[in-house]
Amino acid sequence: MIKEKIIELKKKRNAVILAHNYCIGEVQDIADFAGDSLGLSKQAAQTDSDVIVFCGVHFMAETAKILSPQKTVLIPEASAGCPMADMITDAELIEFKAKYPDAVVVCYVNSSARVKALSDYCCTSGNAVELVARIPQDKQILFVPDRNLGSYVQEMTGRDIVLWPGYCPIHEVVTDKKISAAKQKHPRAKVLAHPECPEAARHLADELLSTAQMLDYIENSDADEFIIATESGIIHAIEKRSPGKKFYEASSDVCRNMKKTTLENVLQSLENMQHEVVVDLEVAKKARRSLDRMLEVLPVASEKKSN
Ligand code: 13P
Ligand code: SF4
C-alpha cells in the first residue's frame, strides 16, 4: 500500500528517487536508481525530473542540489549525516591549505559543500586513483577527509599526498583480523574490500572496489564465493544482482545514518515536500567546479535500475 502511494505521488510531483547501496532493502527497491556515490551523482546531474528524493546521507543530497540547482532536492530523513564528512570543517581546511600553499586539494565526495568549494578536485571511491593520476606530476596533493582512501590512492599512484586524519567509523573497524578470520573459514572466497578500510585490511583484499564496482565484479566473476568487506547494506543489492552466489560479511557493522531512511519517511517527504536541501549559491558555484572535474573521470561502473 505504502509503495503504491509512493509511486503515485512520485508521478504527481514528477520526482525521481535515488538510493545509495547501503540503504535498507525496501528503500533500494522503491528507488528509480540505486548505486554508488559516483553513479548517483551522475543520475542527479542528468535527470529531467523536477524533484529528486535522495535516500542516503546529507552530503549526497547536497551534491545532487549542486549538480541540479534548478531542481528541488529532498532528503527524507533530515538527521541522516555522515560522521566522516563532519571530520573536516571549512575553517580547518583553510588552515590546512595555509600550511601547504602550493598544494592542490582533492576532497572525497563524503564532505560538505563548503569543503568542496575550497577544493580543486572532488573524487569518489570509484574514481579517486584515476582522478589523482591526472593531476600534474609536480603538484603536492592534500587529500581530505578520508585518510584510508587517501593512503590507498598514495599507494596506487606514488604521489606526494598529505592526508587529513578523517575516517569512516564503519569501515575503520573492518580490520585485518576480521578479514583473516573470514578467510580461514572460507579459503576459496575472493575478498572484496572498500578502499575506506584501513591499510592492513586492504592489503588482504583481492580487489578494492566502490559499492557499485563490487556489484559488477561479482556479477561478472567466475568465482562463486565472496568475502565482503564493507557496510552490510550492500548484501541486499548483491543478492538481487547475483542470486546463487555465496557471500560472507567480514564485519557486520552498519551505518546507522544510512538506515534512517524508511518507506514511511520517503512517503512523507513526497507528501509534504520535506526536507528541502538548500546550498548557498556562492558556495554551490565554487563546489560545482570540483564536482564537474569528478564527473569527467571514468564512466559509472554500475547503476542498477531497480524498478
Ligand atoms: P561508494 O558507494 O561510492 O563506494 O561509497 C561508500 C560510502 O561509504 C558512502 O558513504
Ligand atoms: Fe559516512 Fe561511513 Fe556511513 Fe558512508 S558508511 S555514510 S562514509 S559513516
Side-chain angles (χ1 to χ4, degrees):
M1 190 60 186
I2 188 160
K3 284 186 191 161
E4 284 73 34
K5 279 192 189 162
I6 290 173
I7 290 165
E8 198 186 305
L9 264 176
K10 204 176 68 166
K11 258 196 206 138
K12 188 173 150 197
R13 304 280 194 211
N14 189 22
V16 66
I17 301 178
L18 305 181
H20 188 267
N21 288 325
Y22 294 156
C23 283
I24 61 172
E26 49 188 15
V27 167
Q28 291 187 39
D29 294 346
I30 196 80
D32 296 288
F33 295 96
D36 68 354
S37 303
L38 185 57
L40 290 167
S41 300
K42 291 207 169 191
Q43 289 299 333
Q46 285 162 6
T47 180
D48 52 13
S49 61
D50 297 319
V51 177
I52 297 172
V53 179
F54 213 112
C55 306
V57 291
H58 190 258
F59 77 80
M60 296 180 171
E62 207 176 45
T63 299
K65 180 66 186 174
I66 297 165
L67 293 171
S68 279
Q70 70 289 5
K71 301 196 194 314
T72 302
V73 177
L74 305 173
I75 182 159
E77 174 51 58
S79 71
C82 168
M84 182 201 324
D86 295 339
M87 286 182 191
I88 186 163
T89 62
D90 51 340
E92 286 170 325
L93 181 51
I94 289 169
E95 262 183 51
F96 192 35
K97 282 172 69 158
K99 284 191 198 154
Y100 302 90
D102 296 326
V104 297
V105 179
V106 177
C107 70
Y108 188 23
V109 71
N110 298 41
S111 55
S112 69
R114 287 186 179 278
V115 164
K116 290 184 177 80
L118 289 165
S119 301
D120 300 289
Y121 303 85
C122 187
C123 68
T124 72
S125 59
N127 70 359
V129 171
E130 292 77 7
L131 184 131
V132 167
R134 288 183 179 199
I135 296 173
Q137 281 294 330
D138 58 327
K139 284 287 177 196
Q140 186 177 42
I141 294 164
L142 309 184
F143 194 97
V144 302
D146 187 6
R147 65 178 178 211
N148 291 323
L149 180 64
S151 77
Y152 165 60
V153 172
Q154 204 167 36
E155 270 174 38
M156 297 301 287
T157 61
R159 297 297 301 267
D160 176 9
I161 300 181
V162 188
L163 303 172
W164 185 260
Y167 58 90
C168 163
I170 315 307
H171 287 87
E172 187 71 6
V173 296
V174 185
T175 57
D176 50 331
K177 271 195 187 145
K178 287 182 185 169
I179 296 188
S180 298
K183 274 175 94 144
Q184 261 192 344
K185 266 182 147 175
H186 310 287
R188 288 186 53 249
K190 272 204 175 295
V191 180
L192 310 185
H194 196 278
E196 286 178 20
C197 293
E199 187 176 343
R202 289 199 313 268
H203 287 169
L204 294 175
D206 293 301
E207 303 289 342
L208 290 161
L209 302 165
S210 81
T211 56
Q213 289 169 339
M214 281 188 194
L215 295 175
D216 276 352
Y217 185 90
I218 294 167
E219 189 175 26
N220 299 322
S221 168
D222 291 336
D224 56 6
E225 280 188 65
F226 302 88
I227 292 166
I228 308 293
T230 189
E231 203 270 350
S232 342
I234 188 77
I235 298 295
H236 175 80
I238 297 176
E239 282 175 341
K240 252 174 100 176
R241 274 278 281 280
S242 299
K245 296 201 175 183
K246 287 191 182 135
F247 316 104
Y248 316 107
E249 287 182 79
S251 167
S252 54
D253 286 270
V254 297
C255 175
R256 278 190 313 109
N257 285 286
M258 283 286 189
K259 311 300 176 210
K260 285 180 177 173
T261 307
T262 59
L263 287 184
E264 285 73 17
N265 57 22
V266 171
L267 179 61
Q268 276 170 17
S269 180
L270 281 163
E271 269 171 353
N272 306 324
M273 294 297 281
Q274 69 189 28
H275 304 274
E276 187 169 353
V277 177
V278 182
V279 183
D280 174 88
L281 283 182
E282 266 312 297
V283 171
K285 211 168 113 191
K286 289 186 185 146
R288 175 85 201 220
R289 280 181 326 191
S290 57
L291 281 170
D292 281 342
R293 287 172 161 178
M294 172 184 96
L295 293 177
E296 279 166 18
V297 181
L298 275 195
V300 179
S302 168
E303 301 137 12
K304 173 97 175 98
K305 194 166 189 330
S306 324
N307 60 358

